[in-house]
Amino acid sequence: MCRLLDDALADGAIGLSAGLLYVPGKFADAGEITALMRVVAARDRIYTTHLRSEGDRLLESLEETFDAARAANLKRIQISHFKTAGRANWGKIDAALELIENARAEGISVTVDRYPYLESMTQLSVILPGKWGDLDDITIQSKLRSGEECRALADALRAARAPEYWKSVRLVSTTGVHSADGGKILAELSDDPATLVVELLAHDCAGTTAAFAGMCRENMERIVALDYCMPGSDANAFPADESLGRAHWRAFGAITRFIRMRLDATGNIAAAVRRATGLPAETFQLADAGSIAAGKSADLVAFDPDEIDGASGPAFPHRPAKGIFFTLKRGEFVYRA
């Protein structure tokens, strides 16, 4: 892995990204991560991480990341969609920010990104308990061909999740009989949400996504206000006609809503724009982007600072952002209002 990583970095890769909440990344231990970080550090590239936990073990996950970076002498870290997930973890924000600030004071350039919404989104299978949580989507769907396994998983979900939990889970996209139910809460779709989850995964495990409520607005606003926080959608912008499924509304609104929040908070247009342009370009060493200057790509957006905002939501996830006049890619128009 170290050899392959070094070859990729030599060929121009920006850095290494790890997703430690998901299969198979979740099986990587601290020693493996540190070994790979050393390769990244040797070439002065960046390590971006989806933390092993963004909720119950948020602080431990941050400590794991920074301890590995110290051992590897790695100086550049990006934390993907930084959050405090779950009401029980909202009070960890001060300790989490202290860990980040301490690392920055030590000379580790820590940056974060955040989408300005309170519902996250990922594969529905991420909620599965016990041994099911260690399986990939293909294996899960294969096992659910058995009626006995379906019943066992539904029982495990009922045991692991309180009835109130299902009021916080929103179906985003799937195929089959529930393909038109995107945007609806699972508890509203069925009197037996655990069985509904099993049915969805048995039909389309890899393609079924859900949004999960459980973030704190005050914490989100504190994170967005950090001068080392940039906007990130954490989503793919699917075709507007939903021919490839439904995206989380952040796909179409995250960047503009982030800018709206910064404009409302400070009124400083230059600072708000820099968060979405110069900061990510500097963080990921994109020499051709991030500012308007001779010799750089003419990738430009013209917007109305009084109108710019996200306009999408659970019911209309693909609604275009507000306040955009036009966009240019390498000097060519790709969008006009």
Side-chain angles (χ1 to χ4, degrees):
M1 289 173 68
C2 289
R3 179 180 56 79
L4 291 170
L5 173 59
D6 193 55
D7 287 347
L9 296 173
D11 286 341
I14 289 172
L16 172 67
S17 175
L20 302 181
L21 179 66
Y22 302 102
V23 174
K26 66 185 296 182
F27 302 124
D29 61 24
E32 184 174 320
I33 294 166
T34 302
L36 294 169
M37 280 185 173
R38 288 194 177 102
V39 179
V40 177
R43 291 192 177 270
D44 189 29
R45 304 295 169 82
I46 194 168
Y47 171 78
T48 76
T49 179
H50 185 301
L51 295 171
R52 201 177 295 275
S53 170
E54 297 172 325
D56 293 345
R57 296 187 61 79
L58 169 63
L59 302 182
E60 293 86 345
S61 297
L62 286 168
E63 289 171 344
E64 175 192 36
T65 299
F66 297 142
D67 286 346
R70 293 180 185 107
N73 198 31
L74 179 71
K75 298 301 184 184
R76 298 172 58 218
I77 293 175
Q78 170 83 5
I79 299 173
S80 300
H81 40 78
F82 179 48
K83 64 174 75 72
T84 52
R87 182 178 292 273
N89 301 302
W90 291 358
K92 296 178 179 178
I93 184 66
D94 288 333
L97 291 176
E98 183 178 3
L99 288 171
I100 293 174
E101 295 293 351
N102 288 344
R104 287 170 59 86
E106 294 171 21
I108 302 175
S109 178
V110 184
T111 48
V112 305
D113 60 72
R114 176 63 198 246
Y115 49 83
Y117 299 95
L118 302 181
E119 292 185 41
S120 62
M121 190 202 81
T122 190
Q123 311 317 110
L124 179 59
S125 59
V126 77
I127 71 171
L128 298 188
K131 65 179 182 180
W132 290 91
D134 290 339
L135 303 177
D136 62 82
D137 288 337
I138 294 173
T139 303
I140 292 169
Q141 190 164 337
S142 177
K143 287 174 70 67
L144 292 180
R145 292 174 185 155
S146 160
E148 182 179 351
E149 292 282 12
C150 287
R151 290 187 290 275
L153 177 55
D155 288 342
L157 279 167
R158 291 189 198 98
R161 305 290 182 179
E164 287 295 308
Y165 172 76
W166 302 111
K167 296 179 181 179
S168 69
V169 182
R170 187 190 305 274
L171 181 66
V172 173
S173 187
T174 191
T175 59
V177 296
H178 290 287
S179 60
D181 290 328
K184 297 180 180 178
I185 301 295
L186 293 191
E188 298 171 352
L189 286 173
S190 174
D191 293 332
D192 185 4
T195 294
L196 173 60
V197 167
V198 173
E199 292 172 352
L200 291 168
L201 298 182
H203 176 73
D204 182 14
C205 189
T208 300
T209 57
F212 303 90
M215 284 181 271
C216 170
R217 181 170 299 279
E218 180 183 349
N219 286 359
M220 177 188 72
E221 291 172 349
R222 287 183 63 183
I223 291 167
V224 168
L226 298 170
D227 60 9
Y228 52 86
C229 177
M230 64 194 73
S233 68
D234 188 31
N236 295 316
F238 293 167
D241 62 6
E242 300 187 14
S243 57
L244 293 180
R246 291 165 63 94
H248 188 293
W249 38 104
R250 64 194 182 192
F252 285 77
I255 311 303
T256 48
R257 176 151 294 181
F258 187 104
I259 292 173
R260 175 79 271 145
M261 288 180 66
R262 298 312 303 145
L263 288 175
D264 288 346
T266 70
N268 189 326
I269 295 177
V273 169
R274 182 186 176 278
R275 294 284 203 88
T277 56
L279 179 59
E282 293 164 11
T283 300
F284 293 98
Q285 296 181 327
L286 306 177
D288 195 32
S291 62
I292 301 173
K296 296 201 174 189
S297 289
D299 299 338
L300 305 171
V301 180
F303 68 89
D304 182 340
D306 293 327
E307 296 293 330
I308 188 169
D309 200 351
S312 54
F316 304 98
H318 298 182
R319 181 176 285 168
K322 297 190 297 183
I324 305 298
F325 294 128
F326 63 79
T327 60
L328 298 174
K329 178 68 176 175
R330 299 191 181 279
E332 300 290 335
F333 283 98
V334 294
Y335 171 79
R336 298 191 199 206

